[in-house]
């Protein structure tokens, strides 16, 4: 039986084109856009692209991508020199050349998840990242997965709405026809880059083709492919030598002459496969014909971990078998070190299940049926022994060892951390600073996170500047004893944050990638030492089941499967929110806030997240001199005002357009009494000074951008208040002026702080334990222990993070006059995280650490 190789290159035979070779020799032109190249470019434009636009032949597709990316990355600005740190969005499931080309063009790859059906870039993720990173995104680089004719209108829309350039990696698509029956990319207003490598359907040997419906664009790229020469021997543009040699152009012309026959045959092979593999999950395709390179198929999920054995079995039957794209981009070491990688749960699953079967020019339909049968047979051989049931004497399956079968978790975990956001991972970071994370993981650590990865949480989704310095974020990784964490200082995410050292905070959209990259490394450390990180899971509640033991009910989000996990300790780090029911009960100056605002009410969280400003702008459309009332004296209130003042495009705010209504005095932070006195600020007493650090208003004081605004509004040290902002301190329930400000405002923004996101806690009998947090009091005591409604700590339960209510004390410092709660990444990553670790780690584990 003849072997069926996965790939059988079939470029044209040069020996059959001697006349053309002699023609090249006679011309004396072997490169530099000679007559053979020009003839091919015109021929491919006419024959495959219906005469639309123009084509540029290049020496390989990677070089084609590099020059196209360089041009497109500055589409918004019109220049050809993208700023350092400019991002290129691309899907996880594409070839390494896609990301390498972006890096060589000076961009940082931003790798996103894919669609579970067509395996191309996920549209929702692309748009989220465009909103999330804003002008940092220079371009979008979708991949026409396995020759698919992807939706190009989507990218026209993205380009027009977000100003990002577009280049389509269509390496496998030369010969693909779109839904209109035209060559894929025929009318595209941006560059579509095809490969002519020997392994492709349009097999030449080496080479690439850039096509666009925009003739002027191709002219620019032609100059860039010729050292940047544009009409002279003087470089006018960034350039490189990417020209296709004349001899390869002869082969390209020959392949063009037969491409319809070749692509049609391969399409018929794919149709045969699809009929034979109907029981397997296959790619959702688009277009009327695909220039198929091979047949991609997904193994059933229950067989994914047997993939190596299945591949070996298929190949033993004489059928070539590959694993494109496994590992995907986000799993490859170079990109893990140099790219920004979003959570990719879909790509992770697809990559682990994917196989490739051969589609070659020499195959028959019977060969395709034989290859499909080989895969079916290999899978059946695995399934038969899996379906046998081994029973013990009592008829029940026997469980041995240290695991429960749920993600490798221990029968009893030492500690479960509920929530893998900034607070939950800050506790792990605290452990790394003490060298204790390996021991904590080995003792039975489990982290449970709803999202696809730990680290970022929602922090990076806020369109504001942090109230922590760049140095604070970098201390989590800088000089860390774990080298994989320490190296993040030089990672693109680390460099982006470091660029803001000395500034008033860091844009949180730039903090998010560093936190996610840190979370990825922490995940690796935890798993390497026997701990468990369960992403895509949520905790439904915890119930006390015995002395010193809790049962946490967990749900896997992918399929709704619910199971129980025992633990000795539970740390709740689920973050905070602004519940709507709080608004309904909120009273301001003696009146109901909901009644006063009368349908004009937003919460600050709605404003501060990415896209929130656009919501505000829509609500104020048509208002010539809008009035905005912001209620609250928290950092979120001041940050909301700062966002409104510096918004682009600007809201037409006149004098006193924004009024801040607050109850307590606004206090700026100072590093020392002397620094405060030097600016003439004396509104503090001994109880307002931290005895540990000497800071004035260490906990109650505003910092960074919020502090700068407060100092201006209080006219400290001669600063000039912003005329657009007015302050009104609410005097009591009879403050008619406060009520009038709210009633007359076009928009009311409630910045009333955050409440903890609760999780049901039950006693042994299943009855809910009433918690202090249910009554609006702090969730935790001074040792970060969760307390009940009587203020009694509940053994084995801890909390940290936004809205937990922790107040520093003793050696942690803080002014005695402070009332409220202290939130801060630095605290969580250091003293607060260590406080919890000291309580949850056994004496034996501490000794090892």
């Amino acid at each position: 039986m003849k072997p069926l190789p996965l790939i059988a290159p079939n470029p044209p035979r040069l020996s059959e084109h001697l006349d053309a070779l002699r023609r090249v020799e006679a011309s004396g032109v072997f490169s530099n856009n000679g007559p053979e190249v020009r003839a091919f470019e015109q021929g491919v434009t006419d024959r495959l692209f219906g005469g639309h636009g123009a084509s540029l032949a290049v020496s390989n597709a990677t070089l084609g991508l590099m020059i196209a990316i360089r041009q497109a990355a500055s589409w918004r600005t019109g220049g050809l020199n993208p700023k350092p740190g400019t991002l290129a969005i691309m899907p996880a499931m594409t070839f390494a050349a896609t990301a390498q080309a972006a890096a060589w063009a000076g961009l940082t790859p931003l790798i996103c998840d894919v669609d579970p059906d067509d395996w191309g870039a996920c549209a929702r993720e692309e748009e989220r990242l465009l909103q999330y990173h804003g002008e940092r995104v220079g371009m979008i680089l979708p991949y026409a997965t396995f020759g698919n004719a992807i939706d190009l209108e989507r990218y026209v829309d993205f380009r027009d709405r977000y100003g990002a350039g577009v280049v389509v990696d269509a390496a496998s698509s030369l010969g693909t026809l779109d839904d209109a029956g035209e060559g894929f990319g025929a009318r595209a207003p941006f560059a579509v880059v095809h490969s002519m490598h020997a392994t492709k359907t349009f097999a030449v040997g080496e080479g690439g083709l850039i096509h666009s419906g925009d003739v002027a664009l191709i002219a620019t790229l032609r100059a860039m492919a010729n050292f940047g020469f544009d009409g002279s021997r003087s470089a006018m543009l960034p350039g490189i030598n990417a020209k296709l040699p004349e001899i390869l152009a002869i082969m390209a012309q020959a392949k063009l002459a037969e491409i319809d026959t070749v692509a049609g045959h391969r399409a018929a092979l794919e149709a045969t496969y699809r009929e034979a593999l109907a029981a397997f999950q296959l790619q959702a395709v688009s277009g009327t014909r695909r220039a198929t390179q091979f047949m991609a198929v997904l193994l059933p999920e229950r067989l994914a971990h047997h993939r190596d054995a299945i591949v070996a079995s298929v190949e033993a039957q004489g059928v070539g078998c590959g694993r494109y794209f496994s590992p995907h981009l986000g799993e490859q070491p170079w990109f893990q070190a140099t790219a920004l990688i979003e959570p990719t749960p879909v790509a992770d699953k697809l990559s682990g299940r994917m196989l490739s079967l051969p589609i070659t020019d020499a195959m028959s339909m019977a060969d395709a049926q034989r290859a499909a049968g080989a895969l079916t047979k290999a899978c059946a051989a695995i399934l038969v022994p899996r379906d046998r049931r081994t029973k013990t004497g009592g008829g029940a399956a026997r469980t041995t060892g240290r695991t429960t079968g749920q993600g490798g978790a221990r029968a009893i975990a030492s500690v479960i951390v509920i929530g893998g956001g900034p607070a939950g991972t800050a506790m792990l970071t605290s452990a790394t600073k003490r060298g204790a994370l390996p021991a904590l993981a080995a003792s039975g650590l489990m982290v449970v996170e709803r999202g696809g990865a730990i680290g970022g949480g929602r922090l990076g989704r806020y369109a504001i500047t942090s109230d922590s310095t760049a140095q604070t974020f970098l201390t989590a990784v800088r000089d860390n004893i774990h080298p994989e964490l320490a190296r993040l200082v030089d990672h693109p995410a680390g460099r982006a944050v470091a660029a803001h050292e000395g500034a008033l905070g860091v844009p949180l959209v730039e903090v998010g990638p560093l936190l996610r990259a840190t979370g990825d490394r922490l995940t690796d450390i935890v798993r390497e030492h026997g701990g468990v990180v369960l992403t895509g899971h949520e905790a439904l509640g915890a119930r006390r089941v015995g002395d010193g033991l809790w049962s946490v009910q967990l749900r896997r989000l992918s399929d709704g499967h619910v199971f129980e996990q025992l633990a000795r300790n539970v740390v709740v780090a689920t973050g905070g929110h602004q519940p709507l029911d709080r608004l309904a009960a909120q009273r301001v100056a003696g009146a109901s806030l909901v009644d006063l605002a009368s349908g004009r009410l937003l919460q600050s969280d709605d404003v501060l997240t990415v896209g929130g400003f656009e919501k505000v702008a829509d609500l104020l459309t048509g208002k010539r001199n809008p009035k905005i009332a912001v209620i609250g004296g928290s950092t979120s209130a001041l940050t909301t005002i700062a966002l409104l003042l510096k918004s682009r495009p600007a809201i037409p705010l006149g004098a006193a357009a924004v009024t801040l209504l607050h109850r307590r005095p606004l206090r700026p932070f100072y590093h020392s009494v002397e620094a405060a006195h030097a600016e003439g600020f004396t509104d503090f007493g001994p109880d307002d000074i931290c005895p540990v650090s000497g800071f004035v208003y260490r906990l109650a004081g505003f910092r960074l951008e919020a502090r700068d605004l407060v100092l201006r509004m209080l006219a400290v040290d001669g600063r000039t208040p912003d005329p657009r902002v007015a302050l009104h301190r609410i005097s009591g329930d009879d403050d008619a002026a406060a009520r009038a400000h709210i009633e007359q405002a076009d928009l009311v923004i409630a910045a009333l702080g955050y409440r903890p996101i609760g999780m049901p806690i039950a006693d042994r009998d299943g009855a809910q334990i009433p918690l202090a947090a249910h009554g609006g009091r702090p969730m935790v005591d001074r040792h970060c222990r969760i307390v009940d409604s009587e203020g009694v700590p509940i053994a084995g339960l801890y909390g940290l993070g936004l809205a937990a209510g922790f107040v520093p004390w003793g050696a942690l410092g803080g002014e005695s006059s402070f009332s409220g709660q202290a939130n801060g990444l630095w605290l969580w990553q250091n003293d607060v995280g260590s406080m919890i670790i000291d309580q949850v780690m056994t004496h034996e584990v501490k000794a090892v650490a």
Side-chain angles (χ1 to χ4, degrees):
M1 189 175 292
K2 71 175 184 180
L4 298 177
L6 178 62
I7 296 174
N10 187 29
R13 297 175 182 271
L14 272 174
S15 59
E16 297 176 357
H17 300 276
L18 296 178
D19 288 344
L21 289 173
R22 293 188 184 98
R23 188 168 64 238
V24 170
E25 290 176 345
S27 73
V29 178
F30 297 91
S31 187
N32 293 344
N33 297 310
E36 302 299 335
V37 167
R38 292 197 302 271
F40 167 64
E41 291 173 343
Q42 188 59 55
V44 76
T45 300
D46 292 340
R47 182 161 182 170
L48 288 187
F49 301 111
H52 302 294
S55 302
L56 170 64
V58 289
S59 49
N60 63 63
T62 304
L63 285 170
L65 284 171
M66 288 168 58
I67 60 173
I69 289 169
R70 182 66 181 267
Q71 189 278 334
S74 302
W75 186 83
R76 179 189 288 113
T77 61
L80 290 173
N81 292 303
K83 296 178 181 178
T86 297
L87 303 176
I89 298 174
M90 64 191 68
M93 290 186 62
T94 185
F95 190 52
T98 313
Q100 295 282 24
W104 278 108
L107 280 66
T108 298
L110 174 56
I111 299 170
C112 72
D113 209 357
V114 299
D115 183 271
D117 298 320
D118 67 19
W119 310 344
C122 174
R124 290 192 310 277
E125 281 297 288
E126 287 175 322
E127 183 146 26
R128 181 181 68 80
L129 293 174
L130 285 165
Q131 295 174 346
Y132 181 75
H133 290 284
E135 293 188 358
R136 285 193 67 200
V137 177
M139 63 160 306
I140 317 168
L141 188 52
Y143 172 56
T145 316
F146 301 145
N148 237 3
I150 62 174
D151 177 16
L152 297 183
E153 288 301 318
R154 170 168 122 206
Y155 295 101
V156 173
D157 176 58
F158 284 165
R159 186 191 67 168
D160 293 346
R161 286 196 291 126
Y162 295 103
V166 176
V167 172
V168 179
D169 183 343
S172 302
S173 301
L174 194 53
T176 289
L177 301 180
D178 62 20
D179 290 337
E182 295 182 333
F184 174 63
R187 302 172 188 262
F190 33 69
V192 179
V193 183
H194 303 271
S195 174
M196 299 189 298
H197 191 270
T199 60
K200 296 295 188 286
T201 300
F202 200 105
V204 169
E206 188 62 274
L209 184 82
I210 308 175
H211 180 81
S212 175
D214 184 345
V215 175
L217 170 60
I218 293 298
T220 298
L221 297 178
R222 187 179 300 281
M224 294 175 70
N226 186 31
F227 307 104
F229 296 161
D230 190 8
S232 69
R233 298 286 290 178
S234 181
M236 306 296 290
L237 302 166
I240 198 169
N241 183 9
K243 300 185 295 293
L244 185 74
E246 289 286 272
I247 291 175
L248 288 177
I250 291 172
M251 299 176 69
Q253 291 179 62
K255 181 56 67 173
L256 178 61
E258 63 182 24
I259 188 60
D260 285 330
T261 301
V262 169
H265 176 66
R266 289 185 174 226
L269 290 173
E270 180 180 0
T272 300
Y273 268 123
R274 287 184 171 272
E275 183 177 355
L277 296 173
F280 290 82
Q281 183 178 345
L282 305 174
Q283 182 186 17
V285 301
S286 54
T288 58
R289 184 185 74 189
R290 296 208 303 169
T292 310
Q293 185 179 2
F294 45 72
M295 187 67 203
V297 57
L298 295 183
L299 292 173
E301 282 196 56
R302 57 181 174 161
L303 297 186
H305 62 292
H306 292 285
R307 184 171 61 174
D308 288 346
I310 291 170
V311 169
S313 175
V314 171
E315 292 184 334
Q317 299 174 67
V319 177
C321 195
R323 299 173 175 84
Y324 293 92
F325 290 103
S326 179
H328 65 65
L329 287 187
E331 296 170 328
Q332 298 176 30
W334 177 249
F335 303 121
Q336 288 179 338
T338 60
L340 299 183
I341 304 172
E342 288 291 303
T344 55
V346 176
D348 295 346
K349 288 184 178 181
L350 294 178
S351 177
R353 297 169 56 198
M354 190 163 288
L355 290 180
S356 306
L357 296 174
I359 289 182
T360 67
D361 297 346
M363 284 176 60
S364 66
M365 303 308 128
D367 291 332
Q369 291 172 337
R370 174 188 154 201
L375 175 60
T376 302
K377 179 179 178 181
C379 292
I382 298 293
L383 283 170
V384 170
R386 278 176 57 84
D387 287 341
R388 296 193 182 117
R389 296 291 181 260
T390 301
K391 297 184 178 181
T392 61
R398 189 174 185 180
T399 302
T400 60
R402 55 185 284 189
T403 66
T404 64
Q406 298 295 344
R410 289 174 180 267
I412 300 179
S414 65
V415 56
I416 297 179
V417 180
I418 308 298
T425 50
M427 175 183 152
L428 306 185
T429 299
S430 174
T432 67
K433 293 184 175 184
R434 300 169 50 183
L437 185 56
L440 180 62
S443 73
L445 168 68
M446 175 186 283
V447 182
V448 179
E449 164 60 27
R450 284 182 54 88
I454 68 171
R458 284 176 44 85
L459 192 64
R461 297 176 184 253
Y462 287 90
I464 57 174
T465 299
S466 68
D467 60 355
S468 298
T469 65
Q471 179 68 18
T472 296
F473 295 111
L474 292 171
T475 55
V477 296
R478 183 170 280 159
D479 300 323
N480 196 285
I481 65 169
H482 294 279
E484 57 267 61
L485 285 169
R487 284 194 293 268
L488 287 177
V489 172
D490 296 318
H491 187 277
R495 292 198 299 269
V497 171
H500 298 276
E501 288 189 285
L504 294 178
V506 186
L508 288 180
V509 293
E510 297 190 20
V511 171
L514 178 59
L515 295 181
R516 285 193 297 274
T518 302
D520 288 343
R521 276 58 173 183
L522 290 169
T523 296
D524 292 341
I525 296 169
V526 169
R527 288 174 173 167
E528 178 184 351
H529 293 90
V532 175
V533 177
L534 285 182
T535 56
H537 288 69
E538 65 179 354
L540 301 179
R543 178 173 59 89
R544 184 154 37 199
V545 293
D547 292 336
L549 205 59
W550 292 88
S551 177
V552 180
Q553 189 177 56
L554 302 174
R555 177 165 59 196
R556 189 167 56 219
L557 298 178
S558 61
D559 58 6
H561 174 65
V562 176
F563 58 97
E564 303 278 335
Q565 173 64 53
L566 297 177
R568 294 186 179 88
N569 301 281
V570 179
V571 178
V572 179
T574 47
H577 67 147
Q578 295 180 336
L580 289 174
D581 58 358
R582 181 179 183 182
L583 289 182
Q586 185 69 40
R587 299 183 70 79
V588 178
S592 164
L593 175 58
V594 172
D595 291 341
L596 289 173
S598 183
R600 296 164 286 117
L601 183 61
L602 284 180
Q603 299 209 72
S604 59
D605 205 65
D606 295 326
V607 178
L608 298 177
T609 49
V610 172
F613 169 72
E614 288 74 11
K615 185 183 299 184
V616 170
D618 287 344
L619 291 172
L620 296 178
T621 298
K623 305 291 184 182
R624 298 185 62 182
N625 185 24
K627 298 292 184 182
I628 303 171
V630 179
I631 303 170
S634 64
T635 294
S636 60
L638 272 297
T639 303
T640 298
I641 294 176
L643 178 67
L644 296 174
L645 295 179
K646 64 182 183 181
S647 62
R648 294 290 183 274
I651 297 174
L653 299 175
V658 180
T659 300
L660 176 66
L661 296 100
H662 59 103
R663 289 190 175 92
R664 289 181 287 188
L666 304 177
R667 306 298 195 190
F669 164 84
Y670 279 96
H671 280 97
S672 66
V673 171
E674 294 75 17
H677 286 165
E679 291 198 343
F681 184 78
T682 59
D683 189 12
F684 60 91
D687 288 346
D688 302 318
I689 303 169
C690 171
V692 174
S693 64
F695 295 164
V696 178
Y697 292 122
R698 175 182 175 183
L699 301 179
F702 291 103
R703 301 191 181 215
L704 300 177
E705 191 173 51
R707 176 181 184 269
D708 186 62
L709 181 58
V710 167
L711 290 173
R712 291 173 62 193
M713 298 315 300
L714 298 180
V716 173
D717 198 28
R719 290 174 173 86
T720 302
D722 193 309
R724 296 171 294 176
V725 182
L727 302 179
H728 181 92
R729 188 175 176 187
I730 301 172
S731 59
D733 288 349
D734 58 350
D735 191 338
R739 294 195 295 271
H741 278 300
I742 298 172
E743 289 174 328
Q744 295 167 12
D746 298 298
L747 176 64
V748 180
I749 301 173
L752 304 173
Y754 291 82
R755 296 279 176 86
I757 297 175
M759 183 179 75
I761 305 294
D763 217 330
R764 292 180 180 86
D765 59 2
Q768 294 296 303
I769 299 176
L771 305 178
H774 295 160
R777 290 177 289 147
M779 180 173 75
V780 301
D781 67 3
R782 64 194 319 216
H783 298 286
C784 292
R785 300 173 298 189
I786 293 177
V787 294
D788 64 18
S789 58
E790 301 298 322
V792 177
I794 304 171
L797 293 186
Y798 303 87
L800 85 162
L802 183 65
F806 176 76
V807 179
W809 57 280
L812 276 66
E815 65 270 24
S816 60
S817 63
F818 178 71
S819 62
Q821 58 179 313
N823 295 305
L825 197 62
W826 190 91
L827 271 175
W828 303 339
Q829 291 175 346
N830 291 278
D831 298 310
V832 174
S834 293
M835 180 185 296
I836 296 177
I837 290 168
D838 283 339
Q839 296 174 86
V840 302
M841 290 180 72
T842 64
H843 292 294
E844 292 80 10
V845 173
K846 286 183 195 175
V848 172

